[in-house]
Amino acid sequence: MISHVTREFAPFTREFSCFTREFWPFTREFGCFTREFWLFTREFSIFTREFVLHP
């Protein structure tokens, strides 16, 4: 029973590993983008606060 399930599941696992390998660089790029965007947002909020407090 287990071997039958494994045999059925193996192609899916292989497809998923290929997909993951294709997708990994995109994930890393997105992480870098998110970090950059977060830093920019923080800087912008600080700038906005300064500007509102001292027009």
Side-chain angles (χ1 to χ4, degrees), residues 1-11 13:
M1 182 60 191
I2 298 295
S3 64
H4 177 69
V5 172
T6 306
R7 197 166 56 237
E8 290 293 315
F9 204 65
T13 307

Side-chain angles (χ1 to χ4, degrees), residues 23-41:
F23 200 67
W24 169 245
F26 172 75
T27 307
R28 204 170 53 215
E29 286 292 315
F30 188 71
C32 288
F33 169 75
T34 306
R35 198 167 54 236
E36 289 292 316
F37 189 72
W38 164 246
L39 289 174
F40 170 75
T41 306

Side-chain angles (χ1 to χ4, degrees), residues 8-10 12 14-15 19-20 22 25-28 32 35 38-39 42 45-48 52:
E8 290 293 315
F9 204 65
F12 172 74
R14 198 166 54 231
E15 286 292 315
F19 170 75
T20 305
E22 290 292 315
F26 172 75
T27 307
R28 204 170 53 215
C32 288
R35 198 167 54 236
W38 164 246
L39 289 174
R42 202 175 60 201
S45 65
I46 291 171
F47 169 76
T48 306
V52 169

Side-chain angles (χ1 to χ4, degrees), residues 43-55:
E43 288 291 317
F44 188 72
S45 65
I46 291 171
F47 169 76
T48 306
R49 197 165 54 231
E50 289 290 318
F51 189 74
V52 169
L53 289 176
H54 309 103

